[in-house]
Amino acid sequence: MSLVVEQLTQNLLAHHTLPEPDDCGEFSVETWHQSRVLAEHLILQLASLHPNHITTIFCDDNMTYPSMRIKLFHLAQQIAAGFVIVWVNCDENERISRNLSRLAHAVVPQQSFDRMTAHCIPPNPNARPFETNTIFCSFDSDISQLMARVAELGAVKAAKPDFSQQERDRELTKANVIHQADIALRALIHSTVSLQPQSRKSEIAKLLNEIRKDVLDQFKQSSIKVSHEDVISTFVLSVNRQHPLLRLKFESES
């Protein structure tokens, strides 16, 4: 299994180049966002494997908002898999200690933790049915008991939704998200082109619009829930991979 993951990861990195750490060696929000995009691509590829090749996928992420978690729930529905949330409450001193033990460019600034804490929306099984299989634990919980509980809940497949009205609503929502993202991409392209030498404006505009169309087509054909942030970050990642001299930066609206 580890060989399969390694091969998929290498294939992704061969087509997506992450920016190098800043010269000052500090945490890069851009690199973090682009790493998330790559991780999501890897999850999708792992989920598409035959069940004989994989039994469990662990997605280690903060998943601050329910909208982040429900994307994976929908994926579990599509492949008839179980879905379990493990919400780990970490001691503040332990969090600080572990963060400072990272390499310099991977140390997350305190303000990022403060912002995440302020906006964090924990799972609520009573309010959100898709979070029914949630395990609340602490960072020092017994790992054997925790894994046994994960296996127990994960054995129950995520119920497939009623695709009649729900599917129509989803398609309308996706079309609206893609439309809004297209407007944002056009604005980003316009501002980027305006900074280029007059002799290259037409060339750069054509290149960026081709990437914009490819990215939008990719999400139009996607079967998972699409977010505005996903579209913009994928566009920025694609531009920086194909035309690194432009160095577009991803800026989250949150």
Side-chain angles (χ1 to χ4, degrees):
M1 179 59 214
S2 60
L3 292 177
V4 174
V5 175
E6 182 178 354
Q7 182 177 5
L8 288 175
T9 303
Q10 290 177 348
N11 290 341
L12 278 175
L13 291 177
H15 296 87
H16 299 81
T17 302
L18 289 175
E20 294 295 327
D22 295 339
D23 294 337
C24 58
E26 296 181 348
F27 177 77
S28 168
V29 175
E30 180 186 0
T31 302
W32 177 63
H33 278 296
Q34 294 187 15
S35 297
R36 282 182 60 95
V37 173
L38 286 180
E40 290 179 359
H41 287 326
L42 179 58
I43 291 170
L44 291 175
Q45 291 193 26
L46 287 173
S48 67
L49 294 176
H50 190 277
N52 290 339
H53 293 105
I54 185 167
T55 56
T56 306
I57 300 176
F58 286 92
C59 306
D60 182 11
D61 191 80
N62 294 314
M63 296 290 176
T64 311
Y65 304 108
S67 59
M68 297 176 173
R69 302 189 287 268
I70 200 171
K71 287 171 63 176
L72 294 178
F73 174 75
H74 287 155
L75 177 59
Q77 287 181 312
Q78 293 169 27
I79 63 175
F83 178 77
V84 181
I85 298 173
V86 179
W87 192 260
V88 183
N89 294 309
C90 184
D91 175 77
E92 180 71 6
N93 293 328
E94 181 70 17
R95 192 270 301 164
I96 294 174
S97 174
R98 294 191 182 191
N99 186 45
L100 293 177
S101 68
R102 296 171 171 173
L103 296 176
H105 69 271
V107 175
V108 181
Q110 180 59 42
Q111 56 265 34
S112 295
F113 282 112
D114 293 339
R115 184 170 60 253
M116 191 178 301
T117 300
H119 293 102
C120 181
I121 303 177
N124 186 340
N126 294 324
R128 294 181 288 272
F130 81 91
E131 295 178 332
T132 296
N133 289 343
T134 297
I135 302 173
F136 295 93
C137 63
S138 61
F139 74 97
D140 56 353
S141 295
D142 184 278
I143 190 65
S144 297
Q145 294 182 9
L146 179 61
M147 292 306 299
R149 183 59 175 157
V150 168
E152 178 184 353
L153 294 177
V156 181
K157 296 180 180 179
K160 290 187 176 182
D162 177 6
F163 284 109
S164 51
Q165 184 61 45
Q166 182 174 342
E167 182 67 15
R168 289 191 291 271
D169 292 342
R170 188 183 70 84
E171 288 300 321
L172 287 174
T173 300
K174 183 170 76 169
N176 182 59
V177 169
I178 291 177
H179 174 66
Q180 295 301 322
D182 187 21
I183 294 175
L185 289 181
R186 290 175 185 271
L188 177 58
I189 290 174
H190 177 76
S191 62
T192 302
V193 171
S194 67
L195 300 175
Q196 307 305 314
Q198 186 62 40
S199 60
R200 297 202 62 201
K201 287 183 183 293
S202 178
E203 175 192 359
I204 297 298
K206 181 179 179 180
L207 291 173
L208 294 180
N209 275 301
E210 287 178 351
I211 296 176
R212 175 184 62 82
K213 292 176 182 177
D214 288 342
V215 169
L216 292 176
D217 286 342
Q218 172 186 335
F219 280 98
K220 286 177 182 177
Q221 298 171 18
S222 173
S223 59
I224 65 171
K225 186 176 181 180
V226 177
S227 74
H228 182 278
E229 185 176 86
D230 289 338
V231 179
I232 304 299
S233 60
T234 300
F235 172 78
V236 171
L237 181 64
S238 298
V239 171
N240 289 339
R241 174 172 58 83
Q242 298 180 42
H243 307 285
L245 293 180
L246 291 176
R247 297 297 297 142
L248 295 186
K249 290 187 178 181
F250 174 86
E251 295 183 0
S252 174
E253 293 186 338
S254 60

mmCIF file of all heavy atoms in Angstrom, residues 8-19 34-35 37-39 41-42 45 215 218 233-242:
data_model
loop_
_atom_site.group_PDB
_atom_site.id
_atom_site.type_symbol
_atom_site.label_atom_id
_atom_site.label_comp_id
_atom_site.label_asym_id
_atom_site.label_seq_id
_atom_site.Cartn_x
_atom_site.Cartn_y
_atom_site.Cartn_z
ATOM 1 N N LEU A 8 1.678 7.419 -6.474
ATOM 2 C CA LEU A 8 0.693 8.442 -6.781
ATOM 3 C C LEU A 8 1.221 9.834 -6.410
ATOM 4 O O LEU A 8 1.027 10.805 -7.147
ATOM 5 C CB LEU A 8 -0.610 8.171 -6.024
ATOM 6 C CG LEU A 8 -1.456 6.990 -6.516
ATOM 7 C CD1 LEU A 8 -2.645 6.775 -5.588
ATOM 8 C CD2 LEU A 8 -1.933 7.219 -7.941
ATOM 9 N N THR A 9 1.886 9.921 -5.254
ATOM 10 C CA THR A 9 2.437 11.200 -4.813
ATOM 11 C C THR A 9 3.494 11.701 -5.788
ATOM 12 O O THR A 9 3.521 12.876 -6.152
ATOM 13 C CB THR A 9 3.050 11.068 -3.408
ATOM 14 O OG1 THR A 9 2.062 10.578 -2.502
ATOM 15 C CG2 THR A 9 3.558 12.424 -2.912
ATOM 16 N N GLN A 10 4.375 10.811 -6.224
ATOM 17 C CA GLN A 10 5.421 11.190 -7.173
ATOM 18 C C GLN A 10 4.810 11.650 -8.499
ATOM 19 O O GLN A 10 5.289 12.607 -9.112
ATOM 20 C CB GLN A 10 6.373 10.018 -7.405
ATOM 21 C CG GLN A 10 7.253 9.692 -6.203
ATOM 22 C CD GLN A 10 8.132 8.479 -6.435
ATOM 23 O OE1 GLN A 10 7.952 7.734 -7.402
ATOM 24 N NE2 GLN A 10 9.087 8.266 -5.540
ATOM 25 N N ASN A 11 3.744 10.975 -8.931
ATOM 26 C CA ASN A 11 3.083 11.369 -10.184
ATOM 27 C C ASN A 11 2.476 12.762 -10.064
ATOM 28 O O ASN A 11 2.531 13.571 -10.994
ATOM 29 C CB ASN A 11 1.988 10.363 -10.552
ATOM 30 C CG ASN A 11 2.549 9.019 -10.984
ATOM 31 O OD1 ASN A 11 3.725 8.925 -11.352
ATOM 32 N ND2 ASN A 11 1.736 7.989 -10.919
ATOM 33 N N LEU A 12 1.877 13.063 -8.893
ATOM 34 C CA LEU A 12 1.295 14.379 -8.687
ATOM 35 C C LEU A 12 2.362 15.462 -8.670
ATOM 36 O O LEU A 12 2.233 16.499 -9.315
ATOM 37 C CB LEU A 12 0.519 14.408 -7.360
ATOM 38 C CG LEU A 12 -0.896 13.840 -7.369
ATOM 39 C CD1 LEU A 12 -1.453 13.833 -5.960
ATOM 40 C CD2 LEU A 12 -1.801 14.673 -8.273
ATOM 41 N N LEU A 13 3.454 15.215 -7.939
ATOM 42 C CA LEU A 13 4.514 16.209 -7.828
ATOM 43 C C LEU A 13 5.223 16.423 -9.153
ATOM 44 O O LEU A 13 5.798 17.486 -9.394
ATOM 45 C CB LEU A 13 5.522 15.785 -6.748
ATOM 46 C CG LEU A 13 4.987 15.822 -5.310
ATOM 47 C CD1 LEU A 13 6.038 15.308 -4.341
ATOM 48 C CD2 LEU A 13 4.591 17.253 -4.935
ATOM 49 N N ALA A 14 5.178 15.414 -10.020
ATOM 50 C CA ALA A 14 5.812 15.551 -11.333
ATOM 51 C C ALA A 14 5.071 16.562 -12.193
ATOM 52 O O ALA A 14 5.623 17.151 -13.125
ATOM 53 C CB ALA A 14 5.855 14.198 -12.043
ATOM 54 N N HIS A 15 3.781 16.771 -11.887
ATOM 55 C CA HIS A 15 2.974 17.700 -12.674
ATOM 56 C C HIS A 15 2.596 18.960 -11.895
ATOM 57 O O HIS A 15 2.011 19.881 -12.453
ATOM 58 C CB HIS A 15 1.685 17.007 -13.144
ATOM 59 C CG HIS A 15 1.930 15.862 -14.083
ATOM 60 N ND1 HIS A 15 2.171 14.579 -13.638
ATOM 61 C CD2 HIS A 15 2.008 15.823 -15.429
ATOM 62 C CE1 HIS A 15 2.359 13.779 -14.675
ATOM 63 N NE2 HIS A 15 2.258 14.504 -15.772
ATOM 64 N N HIS A 16 2.906 18.994 -10.597
ATOM 65 C CA HIS A 16 2.580 20.160 -9.787
ATOM 66 C C HIS A 16 3.802 20.506 -8.933
ATOM 67 O O HIS A 16 4.168 19.730 -8.047
ATOM 68 C CB HIS A 16 1.393 19.888 -8.858
ATOM 69 C CG HIS A 16 0.130 19.541 -9.583
ATOM 70 N ND1 HIS A 16 -0.114 18.267 -10.061
ATOM 71 C CD2 HIS A 16 -0.941 20.293 -9.928
ATOM 72 C CE1 HIS A 16 -1.291 18.243 -10.653
ATOM 73 N NE2 HIS A 16 -1.808 19.463 -10.585
ATOM 74 N N THR A 17 4.400 21.638 -9.183
ATOM 75 C CA THR A 17 5.590 22.050 -8.446
ATOM 76 C C THR A 17 5.204 23.041 -7.362
ATOM 77 O O THR A 17 4.636 24.104 -7.644
ATOM 78 C CB THR A 17 6.612 22.721 -9.382
ATOM 79 O OG1 THR A 17 6.949 21.792 -10.420
ATOM 80 C CG2 THR A 17 7.869 23.099 -8.606
ATOM 81 N N LEU A 18 5.513 22.690 -6.110
ATOM 82 C CA LEU A 18 5.243 23.603 -5.007
ATOM 83 C C LEU A 18 6.342 24.660 -4.934
ATOM 84 O O LEU A 18 7.506 24.371 -5.215
ATOM 85 C CB LEU A 18 5.210 22.835 -3.676
ATOM 86 C CG LEU A 18 4.023 21.916 -3.451
ATOM 87 C CD1 LEU A 18 4.209 21.142 -2.158
ATOM 88 C CD2 LEU A 18 2.727 22.692 -3.407
ATOM 89 N N PRO A 19 5.997 25.894 -4.577
ATOM 90 C CA PRO A 19 7.014 26.928 -4.464
ATOM 91 C C PRO A 19 7.994 26.605 -3.349
ATOM 92 O O PRO A 19 7.635 25.974 -2.351
ATOM 93 C CB PRO A 19 6.200 28.190 -4.143
ATOM 94 C CG PRO A 19 4.929 27.687 -3.557
ATOM 95 C CD PRO A 19 4.647 26.390 -4.258
ATOM 96 N N GLN A 34 -1.413 25.512 -1.556
ATOM 97 C CA GLN A 34 -1.156 24.669 -2.717
ATOM 98 C C GLN A 34 -0.913 23.219 -2.302
ATOM 99 O O GLN A 34 -1.267 22.285 -3.027
ATOM 100 C CB GLN A 34 0.029 25.222 -3.514
ATOM 101 C CG GLN A 34 -0.272 26.586 -4.130
ATOM 102 C CD GLN A 34 0.830 27.071 -5.056
ATOM 103 O OE1 GLN A 34 1.692 26.311 -5.461
ATOM 104 N NE2 GLN A 34 0.796 28.348 -5.393
ATOM 105 N N SER A 35 -0.346 23.021 -1.117
ATOM 106 C CA SER A 35 -0.161 21.663 -0.601
ATOM 107 C C SER A 35 -1.504 21.005 -0.329
ATOM 108 O O SER A 35 -1.680 19.800 -0.539
ATOM 109 C CB SER A 35 0.676 21.700 0.691
ATOM 110 O OG SER A 35 1.961 22.196 0.453
ATOM 111 N N VAL A 37 -4.251 21.566 -1.993
ATOM 112 C CA VAL A 37 -4.804 21.184 -3.295
ATOM 113 C C VAL A 37 -4.217 19.856 -3.743
ATOM 114 O O VAL A 37 -4.931 18.953 -4.201
ATOM 115 C CB VAL A 37 -4.520 22.275 -4.354
ATOM 116 C CG1 VAL A 37 -4.939 21.792 -5.741
ATOM 117 C CG2 VAL A 37 -5.261 23.559 -3.998
ATOM 118 N N LEU A 38 -2.901 19.702 -3.589
ATOM 119 C CA LEU A 38 -2.244 18.445 -3.967
ATOM 120 C C LEU A 38 -2.760 17.283 -3.116
ATOM 121 O O LEU A 38 -2.973 16.178 -3.624
ATOM 122 C CB LEU A 38 -0.725 18.576 -3.798
ATOM 123 C CG LEU A 38 0.011 19.425 -4.835
ATOM 124 C CD1 LEU A 38 1.502 19.451 -4.525
ATOM 125 C CD2 LEU A 38 -0.207 18.879 -6.236
ATOM 126 N N ALA A 39 -2.945 17.541 -1.822
ATOM 127 C CA ALA A 39 -3.440 16.481 -0.928
ATOM 128 C C ALA A 39 -4.842 16.035 -1.350
ATOM 129 O O ALA A 39 -5.152 14.834 -1.327
ATOM 130 C CB ALA A 39 -3.457 16.987 0.512
ATOM 131 N N HIS A 41 -6.097 16.151 -4.371
ATOM 132 C CA HIS A 41 -5.954 15.364 -5.596
ATOM 133 C C HIS A 41 -5.528 13.935 -5.256
ATOM 134 O O HIS A 41 -5.998 12.965 -5.862
ATOM 135 C CB HIS A 41 -4.918 15.999 -6.517
ATOM 136 C CG HIS A 41 -5.379 17.257 -7.186
ATOM 137 N ND1 HIS A 41 -6.695 17.446 -7.578
ATOM 138 C CD2 HIS A 41 -4.721 18.386 -7.534
ATOM 139 C CE1 HIS A 41 -6.815 18.643 -8.136
ATOM 140 N NE2 HIS A 41 -5.632 19.230 -8.117
ATOM 141 N N LEU A 42 -4.619 13.811 -4.282
ATOM 142 C CA LEU A 42 -4.134 12.486 -3.885
ATOM 143 C C LEU A 42 -5.266 11.661 -3.282
ATOM 144 O O LEU A 42 -5.395 10.466 -3.564
ATOM 145 C CB LEU A 42 -2.991 12.627 -2.874
ATOM 146 C CG LEU A 42 -2.379 11.320 -2.342
ATOM 147 C CD1 LEU A 42 -1.839 10.469 -3.485
ATOM 148 C CD2 LEU A 42 -1.281 11.607 -1.329
ATOM 149 N N GLN A 45 -7.456 10.286 -5.997
ATOM 150 C CA GLN A 45 -6.824 9.180 -6.709
ATOM 151 C C GLN A 45 -6.827 7.906 -5.865
ATOM 152 O O GLN A 45 -7.071 6.811 -6.367
ATOM 153 C CB GLN A 45 -5.394 9.552 -7.110
ATOM 154 C CG GLN A 45 -5.339 10.633 -8.179
ATOM 155 C CD GLN A 45 -3.960 10.775 -8.798
ATOM 156 O OE1 GLN A 45 -3.178 9.832 -8.826
ATOM 157 N NE2 GLN A 45 -3.663 11.962 -9.285
ATOM 158 N N VAL A 215 -9.141 24.886 -16.351
ATOM 159 C CA VAL A 215 -9.490 24.693 -14.941
ATOM 160 C C VAL A 215 -11.000 24.646 -14.757
ATOM 161 O O VAL A 215 -11.542 23.785 -14.044
ATOM 162 C CB VAL A 215 -8.865 25.807 -14.068
ATOM 163 C CG1 VAL A 215 -9.444 25.773 -12.652
ATOM 164 C CG2 VAL A 215 -7.352 25.667 -14.020
ATOM 165 N N GLN A 218 -12.370 21.434 -15.963
ATOM 166 C CA GLN A 218 -12.031 20.361 -15.015
ATOM 167 C C GLN A 218 -13.056 20.295 -13.889
ATOM 168 O O GLN A 218 -13.529 19.210 -13.522
ATOM 169 C CB GLN A 218 -10.638 20.621 -14.436
ATOM 170 C CG GLN A 218 -10.237 19.684 -13.307
ATOM 171 C CD GLN A 218 -8.916 20.076 -12.661
ATOM 172 O OE1 GLN A 218 -8.079 20.714 -13.289
ATOM 173 N NE2 GLN A 218 -8.737 19.729 -11.412
ATOM 174 N N SER A 233 -7.517 28.450 -6.287
ATOM 175 C CA SER A 233 -6.212 27.895 -5.909
ATOM 176 C C SER A 233 -5.677 26.951 -6.984
ATOM 177 O O SER A 233 -4.465 26.906 -7.229
ATOM 178 C CB SER A 233 -6.301 27.167 -4.567
ATOM 179 O OG SER A 233 -7.227 26.096 -4.618
ATOM 180 N N THR A 234 -6.564 26.198 -7.634
ATOM 181 C CA THR A 234 -6.129 25.302 -8.704
ATOM 182 C C THR A 234 -5.606 26.107 -9.893
ATOM 183 O O THR A 234 -4.609 25.739 -10.524
ATOM 184 C CB THR A 234 -7.285 24.396 -9.160
ATOM 185 O OG1 THR A 234 -7.727 23.609 -8.049
ATOM 186 C CG2 THR A 234 -6.841 23.465 -10.280
ATOM 187 N N PHE A 235 -6.269 27.219 -10.204
ATOM 188 C CA PHE A 235 -5.820 28.086 -11.292
ATOM 189 C C PHE A 235 -4.427 28.646 -10.985
ATOM 190 O O PHE A 235 -3.527 28.611 -11.831
ATOM 191 C CB PHE A 235 -6.810 29.235 -11.489
ATOM 192 C CG PHE A 235 -6.341 30.291 -12.464
ATOM 193 C CD1 PHE A 235 -6.407 30.077 -13.832
ATOM 194 C CD2 PHE A 235 -5.821 31.500 -11.999
ATOM 195 C CE1 PHE A 235 -5.968 31.048 -14.733
ATOM 196 C CE2 PHE A 235 -5.381 32.463 -12.887
ATOM 197 C CZ PHE A 235 -5.455 32.240 -14.251
ATOM 198 N N VAL A 236 -4.258 29.160 -9.768
ATOM 199 C CA VAL A 236 -2.962 29.730 -9.371
ATOM 200 C C VAL A 236 -1.877 28.671 -9.419
ATOM 201 O O VAL A 236 -0.763 28.911 -9.905
ATOM 202 C CB VAL A 236 -3.056 30.347 -7.954
ATOM 203 C CG1 VAL A 236 -1.670 30.747 -7.448
ATOM 204 C CG2 VAL A 236 -3.985 31.554 -7.968
ATOM 205 N N LEU A 237 -2.187 27.472 -8.933
ATOM 206 C CA LEU A 237 -1.228 26.377 -8.941
ATOM 207 C C LEU A 237 -0.835 26.015 -10.368
ATOM 208 O O LEU A 237 0.349 25.816 -10.677
ATOM 209 C CB LEU A 237 -1.837 25.160 -8.240
ATOM 210 C CG LEU A 237 -0.953 23.895 -8.138
ATOM 211 C CD1 LEU A 237 0.256 24.166 -7.282
ATOM 212 C CD2 LEU A 237 -1.759 22.742 -7.571
ATOM 213 N N SER A 238 -1.794 25.968 -11.271
ATOM 214 C CA SER A 238 -1.526 25.613 -12.667
ATOM 215 C C SER A 238 -0.675 26.680 -13.366
ATOM 216 O O SER A 238 0.255 26.355 -14.108
ATOM 217 C CB SER A 238 -2.846 25.435 -13.428
ATOM 218 O OG SER A 238 -3.608 24.384 -12.890
ATOM 219 N N VAL A 239 -1.001 27.950 -13.098
ATOM 220 C CA VAL A 239 -0.230 29.034 -13.713
ATOM 221 C C VAL A 239 1.210 29.011 -13.224
ATOM 222 O O VAL A 239 2.158 29.119 -14.015
ATOM 223 C CB VAL A 239 -0.870 30.409 -13.396
ATOM 224 C CG1 VAL A 239 0.063 31.543 -13.846
ATOM 225 C CG2 VAL A 239 -2.214 30.541 -14.085
ATOM 226 N N ASN A 240 1.399 28.853 -11.917
ATOM 227 C CA ASN A 240 2.748 28.867 -11.368
ATOM 228 C C ASN A 240 3.564 27.664 -11.814
ATOM 229 O O ASN A 240 4.793 27.723 -11.902
ATOM 230 C CB ASN A 240 2.698 28.922 -9.845
ATOM 231 C CG ASN A 240 2.224 30.269 -9.336
ATOM 232 O OD1 ASN A 240 2.304 31.266 -10.053
ATOM 233 N ND2 ASN A 240 1.720 30.313 -8.126
ATOM 234 N N ARG A 241 2.868 26.557 -12.109
ATOM 235 C CA ARG A 241 3.579 25.371 -12.589
ATOM 236 C C ARG A 241 3.996 25.549 -14.044
ATOM 237 O O ARG A 241 5.111 25.208 -14.428
ATOM 238 C CB ARG A 241 2.684 24.133 -12.451
ATOM 239 C CG ARG A 241 3.287 22.864 -13.058
ATOM 240 C CD ARG A 241 2.442 21.654 -12.727
ATOM 241 N NE ARG A 241 1.073 21.800 -13.198
ATOM 242 C CZ ARG A 241 0.678 21.540 -14.439
ATOM 243 N NH1 ARG A 241 1.552 21.133 -15.346
ATOM 244 N NH2 ARG A 241 -0.590 21.661 -14.789
ATOM 245 N N GLN A 242 3.102 26.091 -14.861
ATOM 246 C CA GLN A 242 3.384 26.222 -16.283
ATOM 247 C C GLN A 242 4.182 27.481 -16.633
ATOM 248 O O GLN A 242 4.950 27.486 -17.585
ATOM 249 C CB GLN A 242 2.062 26.228 -17.066
ATOM 250 C CG GLN A 242 1.262 24.940 -16.911
ATOM 251 C CD GLN A 242 -0.044 24.974 -17.689
ATOM 252 O OE1 GLN A 242 -0.094 25.442 -18.819
ATOM 253 N NE2 GLN A 242 -1.120 24.465 -17.081
#
